[in-house]
Amino acid sequence: MPDNLQGVAYPLYERVQYERALRGWSTTRLHKETGVSRSTVGKWKIQAQPPQPGTVNQVADALNIPRVEALRLAGVITDSP
């Protein structure tokens, strides 16, 4: 699989990585804080479908990302009708 493939939730994946880095959190720490598996968050980088809203909210809450913003970044909410 080419490295340049990006999933629909790639923008959220990038934001999560940024927020983790700011806090000095490992992927294990993120898992402990959210209950969301490391592999689930990793899949956001390349998966074709948006993630489950509840999962996005768990991660958003732990990282203090507004839920609506996180859901938009994940492709769950779109601005088009």
Side-chain angles (χ1 to χ4, degrees), residues 6-70:
Q6 292 182 359
V8 68
Y10 186 79
L12 178 60
Y13 173 82
E14 283 191 317
R15 177 68 184 273
V16 168
Q17 300 314 307
Y18 173 78
E19 296 292 341
R20 272 193 328 103
L22 281 179
R23 291 163 177 76
W25 287 10
S26 65
T27 55
T28 300
R29 171 79 186 268
L30 181 65
H31 163 67
K32 287 179 181 179
E33 297 288 333
T34 64
V36 176
S37 74
R38 295 177 299 196
S39 64
T40 294
V41 174
K43 288 177 187 174
W44 293 352
K45 186 176 181 180
I46 59 169
Q47 73 186 23
Q49 300 298 320
Q52 294 295 315
T55 305
V56 172
N57 289 337
Q58 285 173 265
V59 173
D61 291 349
L63 295 172
N64 294 317
I65 301 170
R67 284 183 171 191
V68 171
E69 181 179 350

